[in-house]
Amino acid sequence: MNPATANIEEAILSAILAGRINPGTRLGEQKLADLFGVSRTRVREAMMRLETRGVVQVSARRGWYVVEPSAEEAREAFQTRRVIETGLLHSLRAVPDEVLQSLKEHVAMERDAIGAGDVHSRACLLGDFHIHLADALGNRLLTEIVRDLTARTTLISMLYQPTEKAEESSHDHEDIVAAMEAGDLALAARLMDEHIGKVEAGLDLTAKPDPLAGLRALLSPAVFAGNAPSVPHTHDHPHSHGHPATKED
């Protein structure tokens, strides 16, 4: 794989996992080419690879954009994660000490980020726990699969999760690691299944994302009222500029 293509893929995937890119975000080829100092051909190659990984889509009207998973796709993604991640734990016979230590350190970093109110770090670390677990156990292919699925479920949470239960998720991770340390891998697998199930249960899959939310915010009367000039001029036509609020995973 071309290093430039790999860098584009990695940057976009990492930004999604950290909750910095929202579902539906347009990814302009020329802007990415300028940003990474590569040709549009290289950007297109990276986008095509991300498309096969289920992270971006392309349309004649919008060009490349980050996927906006439907409710059915959300259910399928969480079901797949449960099968893969519980299966991974069921397949283990023992967990090396260095893996346990690494996972404990990761959970401690989660707790620190939560305690510090570091929104982006905690979002990234909570999602990365699952990737780190697969990676620490030495299965590169499973790590890639779990990473792609985690990116999709991060996007799903942005669309359908009313509130984030960061502290509860971190406690779940701590319990899973404790079960692994005790040698009870069947319990660890059950706790993982329950954990993923709780995250899915916290989603409101009946909610339909509003495709006009950004435009609606820009054109709402409140925005115009807030930006009205203090001294009106009969022949002037001032322009108002609204800024949609950013949202966290």
Side-chain angles (χ1 to χ4, degrees), residues 20 32 70 73 86 129 142 169-170 188 191 231:
R20 295 196 302 269
L32 287 170
S70 66
E73 288 170 332
T86 58
F129 172 82
L142 270 178
S169 288
S170 188
L191 291 172
V231 181

Side-chain angles (χ1 to χ4, degrees), residues 12-244:
I12 291 173
L13 199 59
S14 295
I16 290 172
L17 287 165
R20 295 196 302 269
I21 295 183
N22 290 340
T25 299
R26 187 174 179 276
L27 302 168
E29 286 185 9
Q30 189 57 58
K31 288 184 179 180
L32 287 170
D34 293 342
L35 181 63
F36 287 91
V38 298
S39 67
R40 290 184 64 172
T41 299
R42 293 295 183 216
V43 171
R44 203 170 296 122
E45 289 173 0
M47 293 298 101
M48 290 172 69
R49 286 182 58 84
L50 287 171
E51 183 179 32
T52 65
R53 298 171 72 174
V55 176
V56 304
Q57 290 178 310
V58 66
S59 74
R61 181 176 61 86
R62 297 174 64 183
W64 294 102
Y65 61 95
V66 178
V67 296
E68 299 171 280
S70 66
E72 183 57 33
E73 288 170 332
R75 294 186 187 96
E76 290 174 353
F78 277 96
Q79 181 183 21
T80 304
R81 277 190 61 180
R82 291 170 84 165
V83 169
I84 290 176
E85 296 187 51
T86 58
L88 175 63
L89 290 168
H90 275 304
S91 69
L92 295 176
R93 299 192 182 279
V95 183
D97 289 340
E98 60 271 20
V99 169
L100 287 169
Q101 184 59 35
S102 177
L103 292 171
K104 285 181 181 179
E105 290 172 0
H106 189 94
V107 171
M109 290 170 63
E110 292 177 6
R111 308 296 296 168
D112 288 344
I114 291 169
D118 189 337
V119 174
H120 286 304
S121 289
R122 81 184 187 197
C124 187
L125 286 164
L126 288 171
D128 197 46
F129 172 82
H130 300 265
I131 303 164
H132 187 58
L133 175 58
D135 185 51
L137 296 171
N139 191 314
R140 191 176 65 179
L141 179 58
L142 270 178
T143 300
E144 291 179 1
I145 293 171
V146 170
R147 193 161 194 250
D148 291 350
L149 282 169
T150 302
R152 285 180 68 83
T153 51
T154 297
L155 293 169
I156 288 163
S157 293
M158 289 182 187
L159 287 170
Y160 300 105
Q161 191 172 46
T163 56
E164 184 183 28
K165 298 182 178 180
E167 193 162 354
E168 183 179 344
S169 288
S170 188
H171 278 306
D172 287 351
H173 294 169
E174 191 172 13
D175 290 343
I176 290 166
V177 174
M180 293 171 68
E181 185 173 27
D184 194 341
L185 296 175
L187 174 60
R190 181 169 63 79
L191 291 172
M192 178 66 80
D193 182 72
E194 291 175 355
H195 167 59
I196 296 174
K198 279 193 285 187
V199 175
E200 182 181 7
L203 305 178
D204 181 8
L205 295 179
T206 62
K208 294 189 181 297
D210 181 3
L212 301 177
L215 185 60
R216 198 184 310 282
L218 286 170
L219 300 180
S220 66
V223 170
F224 285 95
N227 288 282
S230 55
V231 181
H233 297 282
T234 306
H235 301 294
D236 289 345
H237 300 279
H239 297 280
S240 297
H241 298 279
H243 299 276

